[in-house]
Amino acid sequence: MARTSGPETRDKLIRAAEELFAAQGVDGAQLRDITRLAGQANPSAVQYHFGSRAGLLDAVMAGRLDRTERVLVALAHPADAGVRELLTALVTAEAGELGTDRGRRCLRISAQLSHESGVRSRTPHPTLAGTAYWTLIERLADRLADDGLPEPLLLERLDLALTVVGAALADRARQYLDGTEPLTDEPLFLADLVETTTALLRAAPPRTTPLNPPAPPSPRP
C-alpha cells in the first residue's frame, strides 16, 4: 500500500468524517469507522491529526464554512439591505452546498449543530468569529432591533429562523443524496425558504407574553 503524506491523510479523514457524521450523526459515528473508511491502519489517526472528535468536527465545519464564505463575500448586499435581502444572501450562500455530495453531507452535519453558533448570546462560536457569515447575522439582528423587537425575543427568533434554514437545506440535501424527487424545483424551494423565514422574523410581536400559564382554579371544599 502506498504511503500518503500528512495532509493527504488529514483530508481522507475529513472526507470520511463528512460521510459518516452525515449518515450516522455527529455523536453516533464511531471514530474507528471513520479511520477505517479513510483507509488508515492506525486507530489513533484521528487523535494524531485532530486531537479529538471535536477537533475533527471543527475541521469538517471549517471547510464547509470556507466554501460558504467565498460565496458570501462575492454577493452584493448594501449597507441599507433589509431582512429579506440579507436572508437572500444567507440562503444563497448556504445553498451553494447543495451542488455536490460533499456539500450535501456537510449541510446534514451543520443542521445538527445549529444551536452552537452563539446567536442566542451574540457571542460567535470561535470558528465564526470575524467571518462574513457572522457579520450577516449581526446585521439581521440590528434590522430586527430597528423593528422594535426586544433583544431576548429577536435573538430567539433569529436562532429559530437559522434553525429552519439549516433544517430545510439539510432535508433537501438528504433528498438529493437518497435520489428522492423533491416536491418543488430548487429555485422555488429557495425563494420560498427566504419568504418563510422573512415572515417569521418580521411577524408582529405577541400582544402578551405571560411567563407562566394561569394556575387552574382551586377546587371548592
Side-chain angles (χ1 to χ4, degrees):
M1 179 182 296
R3 296 185 63 185
T4 57
S5 68
E8 289 173 320
T9 299
R10 181 182 172 89
D11 184 63
K12 287 181 178 180
L13 288 166
I14 289 173
R15 288 178 177 268
E18 290 170 352
E19 185 170 339
L20 293 185
F21 283 158
Q24 301 175 8
V26 168
D27 297 320
Q30 300 296 311
L31 294 185
R32 63 176 178 271
D33 294 333
I34 292 172
T35 301
R36 187 181 304 116
L37 183 61
Q40 303 304 305
N42 182 355
S44 300
V46 169
Q47 286 80 1
Y48 177 80
H49 287 278
F50 304 98
S52 64
R53 174 190 293 268
L56 176 58
L57 181 58
D58 283 346
V60 168
M61 289 294 94
R64 179 249 196 279
L65 178 62
D66 181 63
R67 295 189 296 272
T68 301
E69 283 286 288
R70 289 199 295 269
V71 178
L72 270 180
V73 169
L75 290 174
H77 35 88
D80 61 349
V83 169
R84 180 178 284 101
E85 291 77 17
L86 294 173
L87 280 172
T88 298
L90 186 144
V91 168
T92 299
E94 297 271 41
E97 291 289 87
L98 288 171
T100 65
D101 282 354
R102 185 177 195 182
R104 294 162 188 167
R105 294 185 184 109
C106 285
L107 284 171
R108 296 193 65 190
I109 296 167
S110 56
Q112 301 173 53
L113 309 172
S114 61
H115 292 298
E116 297 184 14
S117 62
V119 169
R120 286 174 178 256
S121 63
R122 292 192 97 156
T123 303
H125 185 279
T127 58
L128 295 178
T131 62
Y133 180 88
W134 188 259
T135 298
L136 192 59
I137 298 304
E138 288 285 5
R139 291 179 65 189
L140 276 166
D142 290 343
R143 294 295 175 273
L144 296 177
D146 293 342
D147 288 346
L149 285 179
E151 181 88 352
L153 184 57
L154 76 83
L155 292 178
E156 277 199 338
R157 280 196 185 183
L158 187 52
D159 188 57
L160 177 59
L162 294 174
T163 300
V164 169
V165 169
L169 290 171
D171 186 63
R172 190 79 174 198
R174 176 194 58 78
Q175 293 175 64
Y176 288 171
L177 289 167
D178 293 347
T180 304
E181 184 70 25
L183 291 174
T184 58
D185 62 30
E186 192 169 300
L188 178 58
F189 162 74
L190 296 176
D192 188 59
L193 184 56
V194 169
E195 293 303 320
T196 300
T197 47
T198 298
L200 188 160
L201 289 176
R202 300 300 300 272
R207 294 183 180 180
T208 59
T209 54
L211 296 180
N212 297 296
S218 300
R220 292 179 177 273

